[in-house]
Amino acid sequence: NSIDTIIQGNYIGVDVSGINALPNDLGIYTFGSGGLSLNFTVDIDNSVYGSVQEVDPYLLISNFGSATFAPVSGTLIGGSGVGEGNVISGNNFWGVYLQDNTINSLIQGNFIGTDSSGTFNLGNGYSGITIQGSAGSPCVNNMIGGTVPSEHNTIVYNGSTTPPNYGVLVDGDVSTPDVLNPILGNTIYLNNNNGIELQNGGNNNQNQPAYAQHEQKRDADQEKCQDSSDDNVNGQGDLE
C-alpha cells in the first residue's frame, strides 16, 4: 500500500519562478489499484517537471509530475503551513487526479491553474482536480480545502483542452459512487465550465451552493456562496 505520502512546496508544471509553464501530462496522479507501490516524500522548494523515472521493471513514470500506484491512503498534497502549498499549473491534462481506491487524502493550500499570487493564467488543460473511482473501487473521504483560510486552494483557469472540464470534478461509477469528499472554502473561478461538477452519484449529487452575493475581484466576476442546503458537506464549495 501507498500510505501517508506528503507532497509539499513544489512547482509542478512550471519553472522555479512559478510563472512560466513547463508542462507535464499530469501534475499529481494517484491510482489505487494493482500490487505495485511507490512511496515518497517530496521536500519543500523542489521543482518537479518533465520527470522520467523508471522505478520498477513493470512501472514507468513518464511526464507525470508526481504519481503513486497501489491502494492509496492518507496522501497530503500541500498543507496549511507557510511554504507547504504547491503550484500545480500549466500541465497538459489534469492538475491533480485521484483515481480508484484513493482515500483519506487532503488537498490544501495549493494554487492550481495559476501562480502563487493567483494572478497569472497557467491553467491545466483538463480539470484542476478530478476524483474518479470505478466500480468496486470508489474514492472516498478525500478533502479539498478546509475550514480555515490557510487550508483553502485557489483553483482557476483550468480546462482549456477538449471541454467540458471543470475546476473540481467528482465522478466515478454510479454503482459504487465517490462520496464523502468535502470541498470546502476554496477560491474557484474562471474555469472552462462549472467550478464544481458532481457526476454519476459523486458526493450523492448534492445540490450546488446557494449564491449569497457577487463582487468584483481581480477584474473578474466571482461568486461568494453559502453552504448548500444539504446538511452533509460532501459537495460544499465556497467560491470566494
Side-chain angles (χ1 to χ4, degrees):
N1 293 334
S2 182
I3 299 174
D4 295 340
T5 299
I6 301 172
I7 304 172
Q8 292 180 330
N10 301 285
Y11 297 95
I12 300 174
V14 295
D15 66 6
V16 293
S17 73
I19 61 174
N20 297 304
L22 290 173
N24 307 289
D25 280 347
L26 282 76
I28 297 175
Y29 179 40
T30 70
F31 183 66
S33 69
L36 299 172
S37 65
L38 169 64
N39 296 287
F40 57 88
T41 298
V42 181
D43 293 328
I44 292 174
D45 293 332
N46 290 303
S47 179
V48 181
Y49 54 88
S51 56
V52 179
Q53 180 182 4
E54 187 170 355
V55 297
D56 186 280
Y58 304 100
L59 176 62
L60 175 67
I61 301 174
S62 176
N63 282 335
F64 295 165
S66 307
T68 59
F69 291 81
V72 178
S73 177
T75 301
L76 173 60
I77 299 172
S80 60
V82 175
E84 292 181 348
N86 303 285
V87 175
I88 308 169
S89 303
N91 297 290
N92 293 327
F93 303 140
W94 297 271
V96 178
Y97 191 0
L98 309 185
Q99 196 173 7
D100 297 5
N101 282 336
T102 298
I103 62 173
N104 302 325
S105 301
L106 290 175
I107 303 174
Q108 296 180 331
N110 302 289
F111 293 87
I112 301 174
T114 187
D115 67 299
S116 59
S117 73
T119 302
F120 288 89
N121 183 341
L122 297 167
N124 297 288
Y126 289 5
S127 296
I129 300 174
T130 293
I131 298 176
Q132 188 170 42
S134 61
S137 299
C139 296
V140 298
N141 293 323
N142 301 291
M143 179 178 287
I144 300 171
T147 58
V148 299
S150 60
E151 296 173 342
H152 301 169
N153 301 283
T154 299
I155 305 168
V156 298
Y157 305 129
N158 298 290
S160 61
T161 303
T162 315
N165 290 291
Y166 309 95
V168 178
L169 171 63
V170 182
D171 198 353
D173 190 280
V174 69
S175 64
T176 54
D178 298 343
V179 296
L180 300 174
N181 297 294
I183 304 167
L184 301 173
N186 304 285
T187 297
I188 306 174
Y189 65 94
L190 290 182
N191 295 284
N192 174 266
N193 209 298
N194 294 337
I196 299 172
E197 176 75 4
L198 307 178
Q199 297 180 359
N200 293 320
N203 283 353
N204 295 316
N205 288 335
Q206 182 186 357
N207 290 335
Q208 69 270 24
Y211 297 133
Q213 69 183 76
H214 295 268
E215 68 174 1
Q216 289 292 119
K217 185 176 181 182
R218 296 195 191 113
D219 299 320
D221 285 330
Q222 301 171 67
E223 296 104 353
K224 282 195 171 181
C225 346
Q226 297 174 330
D227 295 341
S228 162
S229 58
D230 190 333
D231 288 338
N232 70 56
V233 298
N234 296 344
Q236 292 177 2
D238 295 347
L239 311 189
E240 296 182 348

